[in-house]
Amino acid sequence: MEKFDFIIIGAGSAGCVLANRIIKKGKYKVLLIEAGGKDNYPWIHIPVGYYKTMHNPKTDWCFKTEPDETMENVSIPYPRGKTLGGSSSINGLLYIRGQEQDYDLWRQLGNVGWAWKDVLPYFIKAEDQERGKDQFHGVGGPLAVSDQRIKLDILDVFMNAAEEVGIPKVNDFNKGDNFGCGYFQVTERNGLRCSTAVGYLNPIKKNKNLKIETNCHVQKINFDGNNAESVTYSKGNESFTVKAEKEILLCAGSIGSPHILQTSGVGEASKIKDLGINIVKDLKGVGKNLQDHLMFRPVYKVKNIKTLNKKINSVFGKLLIGLEYVFKRRGPMTMGASQLCGFAKSDPSRDTPNLQFHIQPISTDKLGGANLHDFHAFTPTVANIRPTSRGEISISSSDTKVNPKIKMNYLSTDEDRKVAADGINAAWYAGEGDWANAALSGLAAIPGAGQIWVQRKYPGYGFLGTEVTLGTAALISYYNYNKAWGGFEENYSSYQDGTDPHTLEQIRPKVIQYAEDSRRYNSFMKGIRGVAASIWIVNMVHAYLVAPSDDYFDGEYFFDLEYNPNVNQVQLNFNF
């Protein structure tokens, strides 16, 4: 049996960082196991390539959620990276650290070392900031962060419109206060993606103490009592077992880590014992408390101004875009998933923003796998970044090659349903002012069954077209929030199959999200640590995050995660 000091399961956002830091100690032998292949698929490294890598079984696990009763039993795609770099190789490249108060709350709950002032040095250490070094940013780190290399008039129009309704312009979202609207920074260097595989793994790939195994599927972690001792994995038709002299570091991601724990006998015994799995530890928290941001994609059709839809849809336009990228490393091929970001409150009673906007100068029915619309339009996507709904990861087989069940329960609480409606309403409000009225017009299609056309008339501003993925008319009508919006004339007409937008049962949501999910699970065993970029303390950091994926594990220590159901929080025990 081959032996290593550390075995890292998963070469994603957490795994690549840990491999780098352990190898740089110079005294440990490390095995890094990745279920996906090498990151040599060209579209991984071209920023806009997420259109080619998401929903692609070559680079994406292509999970789907379980039918969700809170959204008319719809099952939606759930992208997760399956390659070196994990989801950092297929995500939208948007660099956001989160709100200062969220970290301080973690510290107030007793988690020493997790206040904003404590984690900021690690953000700075990890960063290679294109703008240079200051009190919030660093240079020379493994993670490249740069300004977007595309500017469009439509984006400036939206910023001006947001400012009109009280959302100020912001130049930097990563100082601890997110409120405002401005351009995202992205994890790119010279117009190429900087995943954790590029930033952290590439510099150490040739180190004699590191062995990287790709296309390997972990079958289980083997325990002797409560001690995790070895890992069994398959490659091709062969099976291998390797021993960890020190520790096994489980970094298989927000879906994979609880999946592997449960198939290894660590989880809620009543749910896994009937699958023929030997129970190692009855831990009810494994796979629970799943949190995610649900995104709604309103689309505005525009006039007197251009977006990228028609340019990207034309052969000549594609040629110009390609040439601009090849010779200048600029333009649409350098785009992250969104260009503008906005943080706002759904109501003034909140201390910090609970809505995040992603503004794209394009529109489509689905990110990846669908063509852009044949008219000029843009997409101010909105998400509730403080959800109260909770989901769960559970297994249906002892075989890890059988995908786990991903149950989200996205809109299971009254608060989340109300904030969803308020968020869509806020997207509409941004289109009410003089700046927006100069560019917005007419009708826009609703992606989803029936292609419902929605026309919303604001007194004094004419018609503003909008498209909503959940069937806003039905959502608003169903939860009775439209009664608070008096004074607006609503004009609905059907398209294609004549679906009635007021009938909730007939409208099917199509949700696009970059799953920033969370769960808390135990590691009351010895020799194993759960390490994942999406394990949060009690609640998520309230933003769509890239930065913490690369920075939380960038310290000179490791930590154990222990879930204490009596205090309902995760306790971090640091081992220096």
Side-chain angles (χ1 to χ4, degrees), residues 343-347 350 352-356 383-386 415 419 542:
F343 288 94
K345 303 173 186 177
S346 63
D347 65 78
R350 296 180 181 271
T352 56
N354 68 318
L355 297 176
Q356 183 176 359
N384 174 9
I385 53 174
R386 298 183 184 274
E415 180 176 344
V419 172
H542 298 116

Side-chain angles (χ1 to χ4, degrees), residues 52 133 325 334 339 343 351 378 383 419 507 573:
K52 300 287 188 180
K133 185 177 182 179
Y325 182 72
T334 68
Q339 286 61 61
F343 288 94
D351 290 333
F378 75 100
V419 172
I507 294 181
N573 299 326

Side-chain angles (χ1 to χ4, degrees), residues 33 65 90 132 161 176 268-269 271 285 310 342 361 387 405 418 516 535 553 555:
I33 304 173
T65 64
I90 72 168
E268 188 170 354
K271 290 189 175 183
K310 289 191 174 182
K405 294 181 179 180
K418 182 180 187 305
E516 281 299 340
I535 296 176
F553 315 109

Side-chain angles (χ1 to χ4, degrees), residues 13 20 127 164 189 209 237 244 355 404 413 471 567 571:
S13 295
N20 180 289
E127 201 176 19
E164 258 189 24
R189 179 180 283 114
N209 287 331
N237 296 321
L355 297 176
T413 67
V567 298
Q571 301 169 336

Side-chain angles (χ1 to χ4, degrees), residues 16-56:
C16 288
V17 177
L18 282 177
N20 180 289
R21 293 315 184 201
I22 297 172
I23 287 298
K24 285 192 172 181
K25 291 288 186 181
K27 55 183 179 180
Y28 300 118
K29 188 178 179 182
V30 177
L31 172 64
L32 180 61
I33 304 173
E34 169 57 36
K38 296 179 179 179
D39 60 336
N40 53 9
Y41 182 46
W43 283 111
I44 289 175
H45 303 285
I46 298 171
V48 81
Y50 52 82
Y51 274 100
K52 300 287 188 180
T53 55
M54 286 188 185
H55 317 298
N56 180 349

Side-chain angles (χ1 to χ4, degrees), residues 72 78 174 224 242 292 303 325 344 372 483 489-490 527:
E72 297 306 299
Y78 207 82
N174 293 304
D224 180 6
V242 288
D292 194 7
K303 64 180 180 182
Y325 182 72
L372 301 183
K483 292 183 179 178
E489 175 187 341
E490 297 182 359

Side-chain angles (χ1 to χ4, degrees), residues 366-378:
K366 177 183 177 181
L367 287 179
N371 293 328
L372 301 183
H373 294 138
D374 61 359
F375 48 80
H376 288 299
F378 75 100

Side-chain angles (χ1 to χ4, degrees), residues 321-330 333:
I321 290 170
L323 290 173
E324 184 179 18
Y325 182 72
V326 169
F327 292 105
K328 296 182 179 180
R329 283 289 190 269
R330 302 188 66 84
M333 291 188 71

